[in-house]
Amino acid sequence: MDKKTASYLAEPEEVNLCVLLYSGGLDTSCMLKWIQEEYNCEMITLTLDVGQQKDFKKIEEKALNLGVKKHYTIDAKEEFAKNFVFPALKANALYQKVYPLSASLSRPLIAMKGVEIAEKHNADAIAHGCTGKGNDQVRFVNTILSMAPTMKIIAPVVEWNMSRDAEIEYAKKHGIPVPVDIDSPYSIDENLWGRSIESGILEHPEKECPEDAFAWTTAPEKAPNTPEYLTISFEKGEPVAINDEKMSPAQLIMKLNKIGGKHGVGRLDHMEDRIVGLKSREVYETPAAAILITAHQDLEKFVCTRHENLFKELMDTQFAYLVYAGLWLEPLREDIQAFIEKVNEKVTGKVFIKLYKGSATVVGRISENAIYDYNLATYSVDSTFNQKASFGFIELWGLQSKIAHLLKKRKST
Ligand code: ARG
C-alpha cells in the first residue's frame, strides 16, 4: 500500500474494528472482504434507508454472509426529509441553479450515523466506497472528522485501482454475489430527494441521455395528454399536505415523486462543477424537488417584501453552495439557515400546480400573509393606489442615473 498521504488515513496496524458505510452494491461488497483481508480487522456495516428503493433485508443478509460482526439498517427517511431536505427546500436550494442537491444532502446524515455507530462500538475506522474523483468522499470525510477528529478513514476505491472486470473477478473469487444488473452502464445514487445517473454514454456531454437511464420519470412526450392539478399546502415553509391530505415529510415527498414522475417532471441534464475541480455531465430525476421548490419559491415571493426576496436569493445560493461543497457542519451553513428559517415563518399558504408533459407550473397561490393587496393592485378605477404619487417617485428614483448619463454624454462630445 502507498504511504499515507493524509494523517486521517488508516494504517493496517491501527484498525481492529471498522464501520463500513454499506450500500450493498458490488463496490462496497468487495470492500467488505478487501478490508478484512488487508487490515485484518473486524467489520460492522451500516446501511441507511434514505428513500432508495432497495431490499434492505437482502442487503443485511449479504453483509452477514460476508462475515460482518454486526449489520445496521437504519430507516432515516423522516429524519432526512425533515432535517436535511426541508431546510434545503426553504432555501430553494439549487446548485448552479439546477441541481436540488439530493446526493449532497444525504452524505452528512450517513456520515453522522456512521460516527454514532463507530463510537458506540469503539471502532477505530470508518470506510466508504467513494471514488477519488467525486464529491461524496469530501462530504463523508469532512463530516466524519468534524464529529470525530481522531477517527481513521479507509477509502478502498481510491486505493485499490480495480477495473470493473477485476472487481467482478475479485467478487467471484471471494463468493461475493455479482448483481444481475451488473451490465448497467450507469452509476446510480438514489434517495427520496432525487436520483442521480452518471457514467457510460453520459460521459459524452454532446450526446442526449438515452431513455434507459431513467427509472422514475416517463418521457415528457409520452406523459398523459391531460394535465393534473395539485394543491400543495405549506406551513412555515414546509409542505404539509397534497390536495388537503396531510402527510409526513417523507411520505409527501415520495408521493410527489410518483405523481410528478408520471408526468415526466424533474428530468435534468447539466454540466456540473465538482468540488474536486472536475467538470462533469450530470443527469438527474427529481420530480418532488422540481414541484416543491417551484411551489415554495412562488409562495415565499408572495409573502415577503422585495427587499427580503432580493437578499434571500444570495443566502439561498450560498446555502446550496456550502451543502454541495460538503460543508454541512460549517457554522456559516447554520447561520444562513437561521436567517432562512426566520424568513420562512410566514411562508404559510397554498400553491396550485399544473403538471403537464414534463412541466410543473404554478397556476395560483393563496396566503393570509400575502403582501399582495387586491385593492392596491387592481386596474379598476376604485383602486386605493395613489397613481399621482408615481410622478414624484419617478423623478427621485432615476435622479442619480439621469445625472450620470448626462455627464457621460457631455464628456464624449
Ligand atoms: N453529482 C452529484 C453530487 O455531487 C451526485 C453524486 C452522486 N453520487 C454517486 N455516488 N453516484 O451531489
Side-chain angles (χ1 to χ4, degrees):
M1 206 181 299
D2 288 349
K3 272 257 160 282
K4 280 209 254 186
T5 49
S7 57
Y8 61 74
L9 292 173
E11 293 290 357
E13 62 278 6
E14 293 173 319
V15 188
N16 290 314
L17 177 62
C18 170
V19 173
L20 170 65
L21 307 176
Y22 186 57
S23 71
L26 184 64
D27 281 351
T28 47
S29 297
C30 286
M31 217 167 280
L32 187 42
K33 269 285 163 218
W34 188 85
I35 296 170
Q36 291 177 70
E37 284 182 348
E38 298 280 323
Y39 286 77
N40 192 23
C41 64
E42 286 197 299
M43 300 291 290
I44 292 176
T45 38
L46 163 65
T47 308
L48 220 63
D49 175 1
V50 278
Q52 69 277 43
Q53 323 269 291
K54 283 276 155 69
D55 184 339
F56 293 101
K57 264 263 139 298
K58 274 225 173 85
I59 294 178
E60 170 164 15
E61 266 167 36
K62 208 167 169 184
L64 293 172
N65 285 336
L66 293 172
V68 298
K69 182 179 157 167
K70 190 165 173 56
H71 173 83
Y72 285 90
T73 303
I74 300 179
D75 180 352
K77 290 196 286 292
E78 292 297 344
E79 186 177 356
F80 178 53
K82 179 86 183 154
N83 298 341
F84 291 80
V85 173
F86 279 5
L89 173 60
K90 289 181 219 174
N92 306 305
L94 294 173
Y95 178 63
Q96 297 192 314
K97 296 196 162 73
V98 288
Y99 167 44
L101 299 164
S102 43
S104 332
L105 285 161
S106 72
R107 281 359 186 216
L109 178 60
I110 298 169
M112 283 179 212
K113 297 286 180 198
V115 170
E116 238 173 69
I117 283 165
E119 287 180 341
K120 181 168 157 193
H121 290 273
N122 256 326
D124 325 280
I126 296 180
H128 65 73
C130 310
T131 74
K133 297 178 99 174
N135 298 318
D136 292 329
Q137 50 171 351
V138 182
R139 299 170 182 146
F140 277 149
V141 175
N142 269 326
T143 309
I144 292 167
L145 295 180
S146 299
M147 308 273 299
T150 58
M151 190 63 72
K152 295 291 170 185
I153 306 288
I154 305 178
V157 180
V158 186
E159 285 183 42
W160 69 23
N161 227 346
M162 270 197 249
S163 67
R164 202 67 177 160
D165 288 344
E167 242 184 271
I168 295 172
E169 195 53 38
Y170 181 91
K172 286 187 177 148
K173 214 171 105 200
H174 290 83
I176 299 163
V178 177
V180 282
D181 61 351
I182 191 67
D183 290 336
S184 162
Y186 307 114
S187 156
I188 307 291
D189 183 76
E190 259 185 9
N191 63 54
L192 48 78
W193 202 228
R195 178 172 182 268
S196 126
I197 311 132
E198 290 175 345
S199 79
I201 187 82
L202 302 179
E203 288 170 359
H204 302 278
E206 72 282 5
K207 298 212 163 77
E208 183 175 359
C209 175
E211 205 43 46
D212 69 357
F214 298 105
W216 288 12
T217 52
T218 310
E221 60 270 25
K222 296 212 171 109
N225 291 323
T226 337
E228 183 168 348
Y229 288 86
L230 294 177
T231 302
I232 318 268
S233 308
F234 286 87
E235 274 171 26
K236 300 192 178 192
E238 297 188 357
V240 293
I242 304 171
N243 298 335
D244 293 320
E245 191 189 333
K246 289 234 169 212
M247 265 169 254
S248 73
Q251 269 179 337
L252 184 140
I253 292 169
M254 291 190 294
K255 175 135 194 186
L256 283 180
N257 278 329
K258 286 258 155 359
I259 306 174
K262 192 173 77 190
H263 289 276
V265 169
R267 287 190 177 187
L268 300 171
D269 177 335
H270 87 128
M271 289 309 301
E272 196 166 292
D273 288 315
R274 287 195 183 162
I275 317 167
V276 292
L278 287 167
K279 257 193 205 300
S280 97
R281 192 268 194 96
E282 306 276 332
V283 174
Y284 301 97
E285 295 178 277
T286 62
I291 297 169
L292 287 173
I293 294 174
T294 304
H296 173 269
Q297 201 157 25
D298 183 89
L299 185 62
E300 190 177 71
K301 235 164 56 178
F302 194 42
V303 302
C304 287
T305 66
R306 65 167 149 178
H307 305 292
E308 287 179 300
N309 285 330
L310 194 60
F311 185 73
K312 187 163 178 291
E313 255 179 52
L314 302 173
M315 298 296 107
D316 290 352
T317 306
Q318 192 62 29
F319 180 91
Y321 177 70
L322 291 172
V323 171
Y324 185 82
L327 298 174
W328 182 262
L329 293 178
E330 151 69 44
L332 181 60
R333 195 268 310 157
E334 275 183 39
D335 300 341
I336 293 175
Q337 195 173 318
F339 164 78
I340 287 172
E341 293 291 337
K342 179 76 178 67
V343 173
N344 270 272
E345 279 173 11
K346 51 182 176 279
V347 185
T348 296
K350 289 182 184 184
V351 182
F352 311 113
I353 295 272
K354 179 178 177 176
L355 306 176
Y356 183 62
K357 292 202 180 286
S359 67
T361 322
V362 176
V363 292
R365 71 289 286 157
I366 188 163
S367 171
E368 62 195 30
N369 300 329
I371 303 282
Y372 174 82
D373 180 334
Y374 172 80
N375 291 322
L376 284 171
T378 180
Y379 280 107
S380 78
V381 282
D382 40 333
S383 169
T384 51
F385 185 85
N386 175 10
Q387 292 205 51
K388 296 219 170 73
S390 65
F391 290 144
F393 168 74
I394 295 167
E395 186 165 359
L396 301 185
W397 177 248
L399 192 57
Q400 293 196 359
S401 315
K402 188 180 71 188
I403 295 171
H405 189 71
L406 289 175
L407 197 63
K408 190 169 132 197
K409 243 172 54 186
R410 205 180 319 130
K411 287 214 159 173
S412 68
T413 51

